[in-house]
């Protein structure tokens, strides 16, 4: 793990920290709120609601590209999980972030975090902005001393390890930068890190870490939680009009300092958020529900329950640390060169599958029209 400070490589060590005792009402709630509406599209950003209005925010923009005209930003940190064009997003977000004192946290560093660092500096310079950028990623110790350039420390051959929240939290605590760039990290960790930082959690607060990771897991796939893949014509419990899918709300969450979690969607938006969509997303990419391994905490989700509070908000409770609460190893991806293969297919099976396919084609045409307008 690496944090850049003027080109210097620093190790990130996970250790308990002494937290300042919080005054009553200070940083008691990490709340996500709707901060913008654009024609035909809702985007949600999360913010930390404190007694002195200090705020923190998460933006999951992997599902669709928002139009940011007239945006109102009431937050301090933006987390960006984007599979789109890095430079375009940075040109769009950096001026807003700098103007409002926002820190952008993004996993867009991918296989070349230092390269992303250089690109952010280049873009900021072209916009006339002065920014501080920290980079958190895995490095190779074998090449230290072989060259002065920081890229000599990159993992070779695309090798990458799923990191957790720790290096992001350290960046926030030590540097309060404008931008934090990471390599491959667990999706939930991008959400968990600002929770730890803003709510004053420690690494031995395992109950809170479990609930925070639950929130991150529910949010990490964006509109999957609010009905994106839930529609099923002919099934009374899952039927909805295609127009509802044209105005989906990205989900957001409210997290209290004691680990209470509510997920929600924007009032008046399309889609659906209920027990079933939460349960569907809860089981997404889960192996052993009694020991769901994340880099920060191993979670037991067998007793998780969802309690609808309204048509747009659900209380999520019951996540707890597993009997073995901390992983002894992290997942590492090691690519092998076996040639190239490309395969793209979207298929539908089961009851009313033809209707589902036709609706998907209709929505694809609508979305293509939006992106070209």
């Amino acid at each position: 793990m690496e944090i850049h400070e003027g080109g210097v490589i620093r190790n990130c060590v996970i250790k308990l920290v002494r937290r300042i005792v919080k005054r009553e009402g200070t940083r008691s709630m990490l709340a996500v709120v709707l901060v913008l509406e654009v024609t035909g599209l809702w985007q949600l950003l999360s913010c930390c609601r404190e007694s002195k209005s200090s705020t923190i925010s998460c933006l999951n923009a992997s599902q669709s590209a928002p139009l940011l005209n007239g945006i109102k930003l009431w937050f301090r940190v933006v987390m960006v999980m984007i599979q789109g064009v890095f430079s375009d997003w940075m040109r769009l977000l950096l001026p807003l972030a700098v103007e409002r004192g926002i820190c952008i946290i993004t996993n867009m560093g991918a296989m070349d975090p230092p390269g992303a660092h250089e690109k952010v500096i280049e873009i900021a310079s072209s916009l006339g902005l002065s920014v501080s950028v920290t980079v958190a990623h895995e490095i190779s110790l074998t090449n230290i001393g072989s060259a002065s350039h920081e890229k000599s420390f990159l993992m070779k051959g695309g090798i990458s390890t799923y990191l957790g929240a720790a290096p992001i939290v350290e960046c926030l605590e030590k540097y309060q930068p404008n931008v934090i760039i990471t390599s491959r990290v667990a999706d939930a960790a991008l959400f968990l890190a600002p929770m730890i930082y803003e709510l004053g959690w420690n690494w031995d607060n395992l109950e809170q870490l479990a609930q925070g990771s639950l929130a991150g897991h529910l949010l990490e796939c964006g509109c999957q939680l609010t009905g994106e893949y839930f529609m099923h014509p002919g099934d009374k419990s899952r039927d909805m009009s295609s127009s509802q899918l044209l105005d989906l709300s990205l989900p957001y969450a409210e997290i209290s300092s004691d680990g209470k979690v509510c997920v929600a969607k924007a009032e008046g938006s399309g889609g659906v958020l209920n027990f079933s969509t939460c349960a569907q997303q809860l089981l997404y990419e889960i192996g052993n529900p009694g020991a769901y391994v994340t880099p920060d905490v191993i979670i037991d989700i067998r007793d998780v329950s969802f309690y609808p509070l309204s048509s747009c908000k659900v209380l999520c409770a019951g996540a707890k640390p597993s009997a073995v609460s901390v992983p002894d190893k992290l997942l590492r991806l090691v690519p092998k060169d076996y040639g190239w293969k490309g395969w793209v297919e979207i298929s539908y099976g089961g009851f009313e599958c033809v209707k589902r396919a036709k609706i998907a084609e209709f929505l694809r045409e609508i979305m293509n029209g939006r992106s070209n307008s």
Side-chain angles (χ1 to χ4, degrees), residues 37-277:
E37 175 188 0
V38 293
T39 303
L41 179 66
W42 294 81
Q43 290 291 346
L44 292 175
L45 301 164
S46 71
C47 71
C48 174
R49 183 169 57 218
E50 301 181 38
S51 59
K52 294 189 177 180
S53 71
S54 175
T55 58
I56 187 168
S57 161
C58 310
L59 165 62
N60 185 327
S62 62
Q63 306 300 315
S64 55
L67 305 174
L68 294 177
N69 295 330
I71 182 173
K72 294 181 179 180
L73 302 176
W74 304 329
F75 50 86
R76 185 164 295 173
V77 179
V78 177
M79 288 190 345
V80 189
M81 300 166 61
I82 296 176
Q83 299 169 350
V85 181
F86 177 82
S87 298
D88 291 346
W89 275 93
M90 280 297 162
R91 288 191 182 94
L92 191 66
L93 292 176
L94 269 178
L96 295 170
V98 172
E99 179 184 350
R100 293 164 174 83
I102 301 161
C103 173
I104 298 174
I105 305 174
T106 175
N107 60 357
M108 291 188 288
M111 291 174 57
D112 186 13
H117 169 270
E118 293 176 0
K119 178 58 68 173
V120 171
I121 297 297
E122 175 187 322
I123 292 171
S125 178
S126 70
L127 296 172
L129 302 174
S130 176
V131 299
S132 60
V133 183
T134 61
V135 183
H137 69 100
E138 182 184 17
I139 65 171
S140 170
L141 298 178
T142 58
N143 295 325
I144 289 182
S146 63
S148 59
H149 197 277
E150 60 191 23
K151 286 194 176 183
S152 65
F153 304 116
L154 282 176
M155 301 298 292
K156 302 300 182 183
I159 296 174
S160 60
T161 302
Y162 276 97
L163 304 179
I168 302 172
V169 174
E170 188 164 342
C171 287
L172 288 168
E173 290 183 334
K174 287 190 174 181
Y175 306 109
Q176 295 85 49
N178 299 107
V179 181
I180 299 174
I181 296 171
T182 77
S183 55
R184 188 182 298 276
V185 297
D187 288 348
L190 286 174
F191 294 90
L192 183 62
M195 296 179 204
I196 293 170
Y197 174 67
E198 284 290 330
L199 298 177
W201 294 349
N202 220 324
W203 297 108
D204 60 350
N205 298 142
L206 297 176
E207 296 289 340
Q208 286 95 326
L209 295 181
Q211 278 287 108
S213 295
L214 169 66
H217 176 65
L218 292 173
L219 296 176
E220 68 188 21
C221 293
C223 293
Q224 283 188 198
L225 188 64
T226 53
E228 186 175 47
Y229 297 124
F230 189 67
M231 180 184 193
H232 201 303
D235 184 334
K236 292 182 179 179
S237 64
R238 292 192 289 164
D239 203 356
M240 66 178 80
S241 67
S242 56
S243 61
Q244 284 184 276
L245 295 178
L246 294 174
D247 191 26
L248 286 179
S249 162
L250 280 168
Y252 63 95
E254 297 174 353
I255 302 97
S256 65
S257 58
D258 62 1
K260 179 182 176 182
V261 171
C262 289
V263 294
K265 72 183 186 75
E267 294 282 349
S269 64
V272 60
L273 176 67
N274 58 24
F275 177 95
S276 297
T277 62

